[in-house]
Amino acid sequence: MGEFRKLISFALHYKKFLVISIIVVLLSVIVELSMPYIVKLTIDKHITPQVIKLNRIPEWNDKYPNAFYENYVLIYELPNHLRIELEKLGYLSNERYFIISDSVENSIKFKDKFIISFEEYKKLKDPINLRKDDIKGILYFGGLYLILLIADFILNYLQIVILTLLGQRSIYEIRTKLFEHLLKLPTSFLQKQKVGRLVTRVANDVDAINEFYTSVLVTLIKDFIIIIGIISIMLLMNIKITLIILSIIPFLLIASALFRYFARKAYDNVRKILGELNAFLNESIVGISIIQAFNAQNYMKSKFFKINDDLFKAFLNLIYVFGIFMPLVSLGSSIAIALLIYYGGIDILKQGFTFGGLVAFINYIEMLFNPIRDLAEKYNIMQSAFIASKRIFLLLSEKEEDKGKGIVLKEVKGHIEFRNVYFAYENENWVLKNFNLEVKPGQKVAIVGPTGSGKTTIMNLLLRFWDVQRGEILLDGVNIKDLDLKFLRSQFSLVLQDVFLFSGNIEDNVFLYRRNGKVENYFKYLNIENLIDLNKIVNERGTSFSSGQRQIISFVRALANDPKILLLDEATSNIDQETEYIIQKSLEKLLENRTAIIIAHRLSTIKSADKIVVLYYGEKIEEGKHDELINKKGFYHYLYTLQFENG
């Protein structure tokens, strides 16, 4: 019920649409409930015999002046219980009469009209001309029925349009809120999630909620009102037959309860496996080059077949649940009609029920069981929506990034300090241990070390993709946790070894944060405008460019941000030596008056760094300039010699 309340809360943001749709639904219910009753009136007043001869006149006939005339009674003017009472007491004979407009042989005067017995009526050659009033009545009720049909069509059309608008506006709000929330979630959370599952939340799950708004929300109210309305009308028409028919309902309610239990389990299983399938497909498509390079197609196919088979079985289980429930409802409807024909037919013979009432009851039974029959489909949609909303609201409940205390420095010099920093991605498996580092404004500091020593982690901590467990990191003397997060990140530009480009064009990929001049100028500044076609379309993940070209675009993107601090993680690893030489020349000018932290495996590129820090599995073991570290004959000397000898 918690998910239901949350879903309703979004719909309540658009009360106007909700109120209008409920009003339209109420009008539609009134119209639909009126139609079978019009059929009843048409049959009872203008088609079947309307008058019965009395064996004797009851004492209370003066209470119903429109019904009694001499020793005849106009049967449809009496309530059901009085007709039954007259039959029990023997007041009614077996003689029945039609009302006709003109006198004919064997006709009898009845008020300002004439009546003729059923037997005599059958002998007439052209009886239709004597029932002009009945023809007018049939035309009147037929026209009224047609008007109600048109009104019902218009109301249903309005209902669909309004509910669709309500659903789309609510879904627009949910989808927007969900995506905005995803953008604000910490990297520590997102890296633990499968991309396919997150895509399922924004796409599939949101669509499931849309169906709830358009197909279930207001129609549930409509179904409830229809059921109450039908039962009320049926009770007014004939209490005994209504109670007999309603005796089936408890069995259907038990069946519905069992259906809800098993359907929920089955549908939950379907959604779970569907999420796994989406995640697997996303992973397979992103890693298709690795799959093909290692001829792993058969292995991936076998994994896909396993998930697909599980999904197939889950859907089969769901179909079995629906396959049992739907025939049960149809059987209940058929039993109800059979009971109606038997008991209603007997009551017609006893004059306690009319033929028009029997026809109306059949229509009402169909209308009564339709909502129960639709329960399967609507419950399917509801379960889908509730499960989807549970996952969506669970995602929305995830804590967003800590934006700090909102401090914005008037001027950033670029002084960075790591003080006794301990950090672990999991538990106390420290990636950095008691790490200390000072980077003065304008300094160019290089960080080297074997794979897994914590070099990239330092950059992640500076940008607060992760937060340290112990110690602190300062920017110009202020703990970065106290700085406004957006402000903090705006002071850095980041170039990663694994470059990500968004589909679109180069200009949009360069100016992600803000427009700052013309993109051509940055390429010209680096003397690399001839290396890339700036008008070329960027495909998804930048596959239209080589690895080196993607890295150049990422480098230009960092420069265009005009940062105080540059973070370069193997910034030239995918660039050939000639292009690297061109960039290194431009980089010397660009790094003036900027702080830079450079992670490098190619040690030849960091000889000119102001300071080189050597990491060994989370601990700083050496620090100094290139020549100093070479003369120390320590680990840096070992790495440099190893690269030089292998170079």
Side-chain angles (χ1 to χ4, degrees):
M1 290 304 292
E3 287 77 25
F4 183 78
R5 285 194 296 271
K6 289 176 182 176
L7 288 174
I8 293 295
S9 67
F10 278 99
L12 289 176
H13 293 171
Y14 306 97
K15 291 180 183 177
K16 180 176 70 175
F17 290 101
L18 193 59
V19 170
I20 293 173
S21 61
I22 290 173
I23 291 172
V24 169
V25 162
L26 289 174
L27 292 173
S28 177
V29 168
I30 292 170
V31 169
E32 289 178 17
L33 292 180
S34 300
M35 292 165 74
Y37 202 78
I38 287 173
V39 173
K40 173 192 180 305
L41 292 177
T42 305
I43 294 172
D44 289 344
K45 285 191 174 185
H46 301 292
I47 296 177
T48 58
Q50 304 104 322
V51 176
I52 298 177
K53 189 175 182 180
L54 295 169
N55 291 326
R56 52 196 173 113
I57 301 172
E59 297 76 10
W60 36 261
N61 64 324
D62 55 340
K63 293 181 181 179
Y64 298 91
N66 293 328
F68 293 96
Y69 179 75
E70 296 182 354
N71 59 334
Y72 298 94
V73 60
L74 191 57
I75 197 68
Y76 60 76
E77 290 286 350
L78 290 178
N80 280 340
H81 70 280
L82 287 181
R83 290 202 300 268
I84 295 171
E85 188 68 20
L86 289 172
E87 175 67 23
K88 283 182 179 179
L89 297 174
Y91 283 88
L92 300 179
S93 71
N94 292 326
E95 296 182 37
R96 297 172 185 170
Y97 297 81
F98 288 104
I99 297 175
I100 56 177
S101 55
D102 299 315
S103 175
V104 295
E105 186 178 355
N106 297 323
S107 64
I108 301 167
K109 181 72 174 177
F110 184 80
K111 299 185 180 181
D112 57 342
K113 302 288 183 181
F114 296 90
I115 59 174
I116 187 170
S117 68
F118 184 70
E119 288 74 15
E120 294 295 330
Y121 180 79
K122 290 192 293 183
K123 296 177 183 178
L124 296 174
K125 292 183 179 179
D126 194 15
I128 196 70
N129 289 328
L130 298 174
R131 301 187 67 182
K132 294 176 183 177
D133 291 340
D134 287 329
I135 292 172
K136 289 179 183 178
I138 291 170
L139 286 173
Y140 169 77
F141 283 118
L144 182 59
Y145 194 90
L146 180 61
I147 291 170
L148 291 177
L149 276 176
I150 295 170
D152 192 44
F153 170 79
I154 294 170
L155 290 169
N156 280 315
Y157 169 77
L158 290 173
Q159 178 187 332
I160 291 169
V161 170
I162 294 167
L163 286 177
T164 302
L165 284 172
L166 172 66
Q168 286 303 315
R169 285 179 182 270
S170 300
I171 289 306
Y172 177 85
E173 184 180 348
I174 293 174
R175 190 182 288 119
T176 302
K177 189 172 183 179
L178 187 59
F179 185 71
E180 287 178 346
H181 185 69
L182 277 172
L183 294 177
K184 296 174 184 176
L185 288 174
T187 306
S188 56
F189 169 78
L190 293 173
Q191 286 185 350
K192 296 175 183 177
Q193 304 299 310
K194 291 185 177 180
V195 176
R197 287 183 178 177
L198 295 177
V199 171
T200 301
R201 297 296 88 80
V202 181
N204 301 48
D205 287 345
V206 170
D207 283 340
I209 294 175
N210 179 44
E211 281 198 68
F212 170 79
Y213 284 127
T214 55
S215 303
V216 176
L217 181 58
V218 177
T219 50
L220 275 178
I221 300 172
K222 180 178 180 179
D223 287 346
F224 178 75
I225 296 172
I226 281 180
I227 290 172
I228 298 299
I230 288 172
I231 293 173
S232 301
I233 293 171
M234 289 169 64
L235 286 169
L236 289 172
M237 289 174 62
N238 195 303
I239 295 175
K240 184 187 76 173
I241 293 177
T242 301
L243 293 176
I244 290 171
I245 291 170
L246 292 180
S247 65
I248 300 170
I249 299 298
F251 298 102
L252 290 177
L253 291 176
I254 294 170
S256 298
L258 291 171
F259 166 76
R260 286 196 300 271
Y261 172 75
F262 288 108
R264 184 179 183 89
K265 288 182 65 177
Y267 203 84
D268 196 15
N269 192 35
V270 167
R271 298 296 297 180
K272 178 184 174 184
I273 299 173
L274 189 60
E276 292 177 5
L277 181 66
N278 286 340
F280 179 79
L281 286 173
N282 179 79
E283 190 178 58
S284 301
I285 293 168
V286 171
I288 190 66
S289 57
I290 300 298
I291 294 171
Q292 293 176 345
F294 286 89
N295 293 316
Q297 290 93 334
N298 289 334
Y299 169 71
M300 298 305 288
K301 266 198 298 186
S302 64
K303 289 186 71 175
F304 175 80
F305 287 158
K306 172 66 172 61
I307 300 173
N308 198 31
D309 187 56
D310 289 343
L311 185 61
F312 173 73
K313 290 175 180 176
F315 269 113
L316 275 184
N317 189 33
L318 191 62
I319 290 168
Y320 292 148
V321 173
F322 279 83
I324 294 172
F325 180 72
M326 294 297 286
L328 275 176
V329 177
S330 296
L331 179 63
S333 176
S334 300
I335 292 172
I337 292 175
L339 291 171
L340 170 66
I341 292 172
Y342 176 74
Y343 289 101
I346 291 174
D347 272 11
I348 288 174
L349 296 177
K350 293 179 178 179
Q351 309 303 328
F353 204 41
T354 64
F355 184 71
L358 182 69
V359 174
F361 252 73
I362 291 174
N363 288 330
Y364 282 130
I365 287 172
E366 285 294 321
M367 291 176 67
L368 179 65
F369 280 85
N370 274 337
I372 301 173
R373 194 177 289 111
D374 290 344
L375 174 66
E377 181 183 350
K378 288 176 183 174
Y379 192 77
N380 183 12
I381 296 171
M382 285 174 63
Q383 286 307 306
S384 175
F386 289 165
I387 293 168
S389 65
K390 182 179 179 181
R391 292 174 177 176
I392 285 174
F393 291 119
L394 188 65
L395 183 58
L396 287 173
S397 68
E398 288 292 336
K399 190 177 179 181
E400 295 180 357
E401 284 185 312
D402 178 11
K403 296 183 179 180
K405 295 181 180 178
I407 297 176
V408 175
L409 302 176
K410 291 182 179 179
E411 182 184 2
V412 175
K413 297 176 181 177
H415 186 198
I416 298 170
E417 292 180 83
F418 285 75
R419 294 181 180 175
N420 305 317
V421 168
Y422 281 79
F423 174 76
Y425 290 103
E426 291 183 2
N427 302 322
E428 292 190 357
N429 299 320
W430 303 115
V431 178
L432 292 177
K433 292 172 279 190
N434 196 29
F435 179 71
N436 290 275
L437 174 67
E438 182 179 9
V439 183
K440 294 180 180 179
Q443 265 194 331
K444 316 302 179 279
V445 175
I447 301 175
V448 301
T451 300
S453 59
K455 302 186 296 296
T456 302
T457 297
I458 291 172
M459 294 191 173
N460 288 335
L461 295 177
L462 271 173
L463 291 166
R464 289 199 63 204
F465 292 152
W466 301 79
D467 282 326
V468 300
Q469 283 89 3
R470 299 182 197 170
E472 58 182 353
I473 303 172
L474 307 178
L475 175 62
D476 290 350
V478 180
N479 193 320
I480 61 173
K481 289 184 179 180
D482 295 332
L483 292 172
D484 178 81
L485 188 60
K486 188 175 181 180
F487 166 78
L488 171 68
R489 290 176 180 170
S490 68
Q491 305 307 310
F492 294 87
S493 274
L494 176 66
V495 179
L496 296 172
Q497 182 178 4
D498 185 15
V499 179
F500 187 90
L501 296 182
F502 298 92
S503 56
N505 56 56
I506 292 176
E507 185 176 10
D508 289 340
N509 273 279
V510 169
F511 297 125
L512 281 176
Y513 178 56
R514 58 170 176 245
R515 298 278 167 180
N516 192 11
K518 292 184 177 180
V519 69
E520 297 91 343
N521 294 338
Y522 293 98
F523 283 88
K524 288 178 182 178
Y525 183 77
L526 296 175
N527 297 319
I528 54 174
E529 68 271 18
N530 296 324
L531 298 179
I532 294 178
D533 179 5
L534 298 182
N535 296 316
K536 192 173 182 179
I537 298 297
V538 181
N539 292 342
E540 187 178 1
R541 300 189 307 278
T543 54
S544 48
F545 295 91
S546 68
S547 297
Q549 287 175 321
R550 290 199 298 271
Q551 202 160 53
I552 288 172
I553 295 170
S554 176
F555 194 75
V556 174
R557 176 164 62 194
L559 304 185
N561 194 34
D562 191 23
K564 282 289 182 182
I565 305 163
L566 278 172
L567 302 177
L568 309 177
D569 186 355
E570 285 298 315
T572 57
S573 62
N574 291 326
I575 299 175
D576 60 83
Q577 291 184 347
E578 182 181 356
T579 305
E580 182 184 348
Y581 175 78
I582 296 171
I583 290 178
Q584 288 289 352
K585 287 293 183 183
S586 301
L587 194 59
E588 292 175 7
K589 289 187 277 184
L590 186 68
L591 291 178
E592 290 178 4
N593 302 318
R594 284 189 174 90
T595 304
I597 296 178
I598 305 163
I599 293 175
H601 289 116
R602 285 156 62 174
L603 303 185
S604 59
T605 63
I606 57 169
K607 287 182 180 180
S608 60
D610 297 318
K611 181 165 48 178
I612 298 172
V613 175
V614 183
L615 284 181
Y616 189 79
Y617 295 107
E619 297 185 78
K620 183 173 68 174
I621 58 173
E622 291 179 351
E623 182 179 327
K625 288 180 176 289
H626 172 75
D627 292 338
E628 294 172 357
L629 295 176
I630 290 293
N631 292 332
K632 270 188 176 182
K633 304 287 185 180
F635 192 69
Y636 179 80
H637 177 269
Y638 166 75
L639 291 175
Y640 188 80
T641 304
L642 194 66
Q643 276 195 15
F644 183 77
E645 289 177 352
N646 292 335

